[in-house]
Every structure is written in structure tokens, then in C-alpha cells.
Amino acid sequence: MTGEFIKEPVSKVDTAWLRMEQPTNLMMINGVIMMDDHLDYERLLKTIEQRFLAFRRFRQKAVDGARGAHWVFDEDFDIRQHVKRTALPGAADRAELERLVSDLASTPLDSSHPLWQLHVVENYVDGPAIITRIHHCIADGIALVQVFLSLTDPTREGRPSASEPQTWKARRAKEAKVFQRLIDPAREGLDFAAHVSQRLIEEAGKILQNPAVASSYAMEASEIVRELVHSLTLEDDPVTRFKGRLGTRKRVAWAEPLPLDEVKAVSKAFGCTVNDVLIAAVTGALRQYMISVGDDADGLPDIRATVPVNLRPLEHAQELGNHFGLVFLSLPLSIDNPLERLYAVNDRMNELKCSKQAAVTLGFLAALGMGPSAMQKPVLDLLSKKATAVLTNVPGPQKPLYLAGSEMKEMMFWVPQNGSVGLGISILSYNNNVYFGLISDQRLLPEPSAVISRFKKEFEKLLYLGMMLPLDGQPHSANAERLLANPGDPD
């Protein structure tokens, strides 16, 4: 038997993501890359073959069985079945592209082959577009952005070469610094999570069987178990129009990009992080949408989003697999004042940065991957009741890049949801712009564009308030306190 047919175990965390898939929530990371006026399909195939397939995972299929999951090379692998040409109907405009991405986001990948596909849309009115679909069990967002960087060149004239797979890491060394994480908790991640996973099945079982013991655990147990207790015993998120019974259809939308320099200026003016500013704008957009469709502005509850936190050292970002934990962030929908809302997000993020919640959830996923698949669904269902959305922010390269000789003009992606979560919010920065993507369950939010179209306006409120500060930009000056009391409106 040759090495091509040897089984390779799927990691415990990746096994958890593989088994997390269900008809109402497919575990695919979906994306769109907008290209310039010309894209050579044959050259793209060659680039994919030489660079993308240099990662063996993209030639392997995931086979799950009673003794665990394994990666097995696909004997019938055909690159043209994974890189497909397609065309849009009708006007071939943005609405048609959104509809196609929505259809693909609602369609599972073929598990008898490697779990990824690229769809090359050749007649989109604004130039060719590439729709990407990659199963979450292969890699997380940080790793996949690095993988896609390996496909690109800094100029249009760059050509794929046979040596490229061995040298791409060195070529991208300078680009790696753009992956400075926007959320920066303690970096004990991987070692700590490995320790966590050895203890969590037993402790979680005790808590789930007898929730009454949770308070005594919180008083007496170690920090690991205390964080686990906190996650498992959070109250279920309130029922809103974003939370309910899921269907099998997804809808996607994306917003016009924000200039990254303006976002940075706002963050500096108010003494918050870029991530805080973007999350505050997202929260404001959700609030304004709910009010616009008849919800009581004075009775809106805060809702939680699970936020992925990278636990992978940056120098290992090119390695595939999943190395992130999750934290539960309460989005302050109840706060009307945009500046007060920003500071509430900042306070809540700072509190999460001091916790080990992310590392504990990574270990918890590893523990679930060790156990039987029948155990995973009820535990994940329990956790998913505690959140309404998934919210992720992935920083990308801040200069234009070229794929197969064509410039990548814009890019965005949509994060998958798990369990009963029906809303996914994705933020990606590229070439000094910030892109927002929103994916929703069609039963709950049939037109996600009605939410995402409000992101820019909510950010502009903060930009306007920042311009009213004195030149020294002191966020807690008397002027800033006045703005908190009377924020005004850029309109």
C-alpha cells in the first residue's frame, strides 16, 4: 500500500467541527473574491494545482467512523470538479451574485471528495468573481487567509513556479505582520487547551447531569472548571427576531467597504481598539434594524455573540486545522447612545481578554472530539442556546494582491453558525478597506441586506462624534462627556 492510501487521523478539535454539521447549519466558510476585468481560468487551475494542492489536506477527504475520523487521499480527485466555471442569469448583477452565494451556502459539499470548491463566475457585471466554499474542519479563518496568500503575487506579472509550494512561507514573511490580532487575550492557548481537554468531559458531565452543583464548582474548582461552569450555566439568550427555529436556506449580503484609516482614527479618538469600533457599529446596525421593523426601542435586550479568538502562534498560521477558542460577548443592543455603546463594547471586551474562556472552549471542543458523536449534539445545542450570533474579525493584507495575473479588488467571507445560532457576522480587512458580510437563516432574517446596509451609517455616527472632539482627542474630556449625554446625529 502506498502512502497515498494511508489514513491520517483528524485532530480532535477538527473532528468536532466535522461532526458539527447539520442540515440547518452547514459548517462551510463561504467567501467571494472580486477580480479585475480578466481572469485566465487555465492559469488559475495551474496556480491552484501548484500552490493550493501543495497542502495535502486539499487532496484528502474526511472519513468519519466508529473509531474516529481520518483524512484519506481521494483516489478520484479531479481539480476541475473543485474549480468550476459558472455564469449568472439575468442581469448578472450584485443581486444575482448574492443569490448564487446564498444557494451555495445552503448546499452541502460532497463528502465523498475533499471538502472544498471554488466557483469561478465569469460574467459578473463588475468583473470575474470567485466564490469559495471550504469546510471548517479543514482550517480556521486565520489559517485559510494565509493559505490564500500563498496563491497570490505582489504584481500582475507573477507566475506560478514548481518551487513555489516550498518557498511561499518565506515570501510571505513580511505579510504575516498584518495578522496582528484585534483581540489579544493571554497566549497560553494551545498548551493550556491541551491540559483543559483532559478534564472537561468528566466535569461537563457532572454539571449537565446536576446543574445544582454548578455554584459549588464555581466556589471550589480550579480556574479551568470555573470558566467551564460560567459557559455552561449562562442564561439562554433572549428570544428575539434573530433567534428561533431554523430552516435549511441561508441568505447572504455584504456592505460597501469602510476606509480602514477612518476606523483607526475613530479608535484612536476614543481610546478603543479597531475591533471595538467595528463591533459597536455592527451592534448599532442590528439595533436600528430591529427598531425599523417594529421592535420597542426601549425594550431591546442585549444579545450574545460567540467571538472566535485565535490561539495559534502567528508563526504557525500557515498550518491547517482549527486553533481558536470562543468567548461569549454581550452586544449592547439596549444602549441607544453610539458613544456609550462603544465604551460598553470596550469594557466587555477588556473583561473577556482577562479570562481563559477562549482556551477553555478550545479544550472543550477537543474533549467533544474525543467522545462519541452522539454526545456532541446535545452539548453543542446547549451552548448554542446561549448566543444569537457568531461574530468574527479576520485581518487581511493591506496592499493589493494578484491571483493568476488578475487583481483581487475586493473580498469578503461568511462565517458558519452552529447548533441553533442563525446569524453570522464577518469582518475582513483588505487593502486598507474593511468589508462586512452577513449570513442569516432565511426563516429568521430573509433580507440580511436590510441590516448590513446600516453598518456604514452607524460607523459614521462615531466618526462624526470623533470629529467633534478637541484636537488632542481626549476621550474622557468634558466635551466627550457632553457627547455621551447628547450624541447628536450626522444626518
Side-chain angles (χ1 to χ4, degrees), residues 48-333:
I48 296 295
E49 187 170 30
Q50 291 189 332
R51 303 186 191 184
F52 196 67
L53 298 185
F55 298 89
R56 66 184 182 279
R57 193 67 76 240
F58 297 111
R59 291 178 286 122
Q60 295 172 317
K61 56 186 177 181
V63 179
D64 196 8
R67 296 187 177 182
H70 292 81
W71 298 109
V72 179
F73 281 93
D74 182 7
E75 300 176 51
D76 300 314
F77 182 81
D78 180 354
I79 191 172
R80 292 178 186 269
Q81 291 301 310
H82 290 269
V83 185
K84 297 188 172 187
R85 306 172 89 163
T86 189
L88 297 172
D93 56 8
R94 177 166 168 166
E96 293 291 356
L97 183 59
E98 283 189 352
R99 189 172 294 113
L100 175 57
V101 177
S102 298
D103 289 344
L104 291 171
S106 308
T107 306
L109 292 160
D110 183 355
S111 61
S112 64
H113 296 289
L115 294 170
W116 65 273
Q117 279 188 334
L118 306 183
H119 301 260
V120 182
V121 182
E122 299 184 312
N123 69 329
Y124 181 50
V125 292
D126 291 333
I130 301 174
I131 303 172
T132 64
R133 300 198 300 154
I134 301 178
H135 200 285
H136 213 318
C137 71
I138 292 178
D140 56 37
I142 290 290
L144 288 177
V145 170
Q146 283 281 30
V147 167
F148 274 96
L149 280 178
S150 75
L151 306 182
T152 65
D153 295 295
T155 66
R156 192 182 301 275
E157 291 71 30
R159 292 291 190 274
S161 67
S163 63
E164 196 70 26
Q166 288 72 42
T167 61
W168 76 268
K169 184 168 63 175
R171 290 194 309 109
R172 298 293 171 231
K174 290 183 180 179
E175 288 172 3
K177 21 184 212 185
V178 305
F179 289 88
Q180 298 300 321
R181 294 184 305 138
L182 301 179
I183 304 172
D184 190 24
R187 279 271 185 136
E188 296 127 14
L190 295 178
D191 291 340
F192 183 75
H195 175 56
V196 169
S197 63
Q198 300 301 313
R199 300 182 57 186
L200 288 186
I201 289 182
E202 178 184 352
E203 304 300 343
K206 292 177 182 177
I207 295 167
L208 292 173
Q209 290 172 15
N210 186 6
V213 306
S215 59
S216 63
Y217 267 98
M219 294 293 293
E220 301 172 6
S222 67
E223 188 172 2
I224 295 173
V225 178
R226 190 176 300 115
E227 290 286 1
L228 174 63
V229 168
H230 173 73
S231 298
L232 292 177
T233 59
L234 285 171
E235 291 184 5
D236 290 351
D237 231 18
V239 176
T240 65
R241 63 180 58 254
F242 300 130
K243 196 164 185 66
R245 186 168 67 92
L246 303 181
T248 58
R249 300 294 300 170
K250 298 292 182 183
R251 293 296 303 273
V252 307
W254 60 87
E256 293 300 316
L258 300 178
L260 182 57
D261 289 343
E262 291 185 5
V263 180
K264 289 180 178 179
V266 171
S267 72
K268 184 176 181 181
F270 294 116
C272 298
T273 69
V274 166
N275 203 45
D276 295 337
V277 172
L278 296 174
I279 292 176
V282 166
T283 305
L286 292 170
R287 175 182 168 84
Q288 293 305 318
Y289 169 78
M290 295 173 78
I291 294 171
S292 75
V293 293
D295 289 348
D296 180 7
D298 296 324
L300 292 181
D302 292 353
I303 62 174
R304 294 190 199 96
T306 55
V307 180
V309 177
N310 180 39
L311 296 174
R312 182 198 315 262
L314 198 57
E315 61 271 20
H316 299 307
Q318 74 279 5
E319 297 173 3
L320 299 184
N322 291 274
H323 295 279
F324 67 91
L326 299 169
V327 295
F328 289 91
L329 172 65
S330 180
L331 302 179
L333 290 181

Side-chain angles (χ1 to χ4, degrees), residues 255-256 258 280-282 284-285 288 338 341 436 451-464 488-491:
E256 293 300 316
L258 300 178
V282 166
Q288 293 305 318
R341 190 187 308 130
F436 292 89
V451 174
I452 208 163
S453 62
R454 290 172 162 81
F455 284 5
K456 186 174 183 179
K457 182 177 179 180
E458 290 303 309
F459 168 73
E460 287 175 344
K461 290 179 182 179
L462 293 171
L463 181 64
Y464 171 77
D489 193 315
D491 294 337

Side-chain angles (χ1 to χ4, degrees), residues 478-489:
N479 193 31
E481 295 295 334
R482 179 180 63 80
L483 295 178
L484 273 170
N486 182 24
D489 193 315

